[in-house]
Every structure is written in structure tokens, then in C-alpha cells.
Amino acid sequence: VSSTTDPLTHVFTYSIVETDTVPTELVSLIETDLNPILADSGATLYAVWVPVQIPASAPFAGLAKTQLAFMAAWPDQDDPVEIFESTVRALDGVLAVTSQVLVPIYLAEGLAVPTGAGFYVHREEIYQPRDVDEVVRLSTEAWETWESTFGTRVTGLFRHSGNPSNLSLIHISEPTR
């Protein structure tokens, strides 16, 4: 697999977009306006997440009614944030964009995110760099039980780029039932 097709050699922008409209209305603009610009830059739209109703008992907060989240995968890009954010800010209805650069550790489906019904959980945890390999090993082992017990599947595990003192891991999981 070449470095341009191996998803683990990509960097990802993970962005929260504040809108002045219903975020689902931006999805068609993303497809018509943003995708060609990303393609010209060599990037791939990885996923778009919009707010959904979550159970009141959920131990986490979801996106606000005026937010959406999305990720793009960039091959051979040192810092794609400015390209990405300026492109997104140009879309009608976008008020603000906040992005992070993530490096993949594990991707269940390469550059394709499964599109199961329900809600995706994005969980962030911070570890010391010396502990990351052990955390990844333990997480991988735990997923075998966790996925079947809770009816979810881990679709990705990422670390933040460029944080020398701590390493944040972001787990993204989807419903399977």
C-alpha cells in the first residue's frame, strides 16, 4: 500500500462548525461546494456528523443544535487546518470553525466511516506519551467484549498531533444494533 493510499499515513482535521442555521442544511453545501475543493487539495471527506437526539441518561453531551462535526483525511499535509477552515468558513451559514489535527492509530474501515443509524460517540482521553502503547493494547482487548455487550463498534482511534507533554486519544464508535 502506498503512502498516499494507506489511511494510517494521513492526518485528519476534526472540526466543530458553528452555524446560524440547522446544520443538516449545510450537508448538501458540503457535498457540492466543499468536496471538490478538498479533492483539489488531495483530501477526502471522512465523515460528517449532525446533532441527534440522545437519551437523557447518556453520560455525555452531544452536539448543540447549531453545530456539526466533520473530519477530512489529508495525505502528505503538514498542517491542513488553515486550508480546511478557510474553505469551510466560506460556506453560507457558517459562523465559526474550530479544528484539531489528528493522527490515526486505528481505522476499522480505512477512509470509509460506516454509516449506521443512531449516534456516534466521540470520547477524548488524555494520557502521558509513555502510557499510550499500553492504553492502545488494553483498549483493543476491551473492544472485543465492549462491542458485543454494548452493541457498538469502534471505528477509529486517533491521537492529537503536536502535543509533546500529553497525548489525547479520541475513540469514535458507532451503534451496531
Side-chain angles (χ1 to χ4, degrees):
V1 176
S2 78
S3 63
T4 58
T5 58
D6 180 1
L8 295 178
T9 63
H10 287 62
V11 295
F12 288 71
T13 47
Y14 180 90
S15 303
I16 301 295
V17 178
E18 302 288 338
T19 71
D20 65 2
T21 184
V22 178
T24 53
E25 293 176 7
L26 287 177
V27 173
S28 63
L29 282 176
I30 289 167
E31 291 173 358
T32 60
D33 295 357
L34 184 60
N35 271 340
I37 295 168
L38 289 173
D40 287 346
S41 299
T44 302
L45 185 63
Y46 179 67
V48 177
W49 294 282
V50 296
V52 296
Q53 185 69 34
I54 58 174
S57 62
F60 49 81
L63 292 169
K65 291 179 183 178
T66 58
Q67 291 180 324
L68 63 92
F70 54 90
M71 291 178 76
W74 304 79
D76 305 322
Q77 294 281 334
D78 290 330
D79 189 5
V81 170
E82 185 52 40
I83 296 168
F84 189 69
E85 286 189 357
S86 64
T87 302
V88 173
R89 275 192 222 99
L91 296 175
D92 287 338
V94 172
L95 299 175
V97 182
T98 306
S99 299
Q100 307 171 54
V101 176
L102 304 177
V103 177
I105 296 171
Y106 167 80
L107 295 168
E109 301 289 333
L111 294 179
V113 170
T115 55
F119 58 88
Y120 286 69
V121 175
H122 301 211
R123 192 180 78 220
E124 184 172 7
E125 299 166 336
I126 298 175
Y127 299 97
Q128 294 294 315
R130 68 179 177 274
D131 298 329
V132 169
D133 288 341
E134 182 70 1
V135 168
V136 170
R137 184 188 68 75
L138 291 171
S139 293
T140 304
E141 289 176 11
W143 295 338
E144 292 176 22
T145 303
W146 185 57
E147 289 179 348
S148 62
T149 301
F150 297 108
T152 64
R153 184 170 77 117
V154 173
T155 60
L157 177 61
F158 301 85
R159 68 174 176 80
H160 283 273
S161 173
N163 185 347
S165 60
N166 290 312
L167 196 63
S168 296
L169 296 179
I170 296 181
H171 294 81
I172 299 177
S173 55
E174 68 159 334
T176 58
R177 50 176 139 132

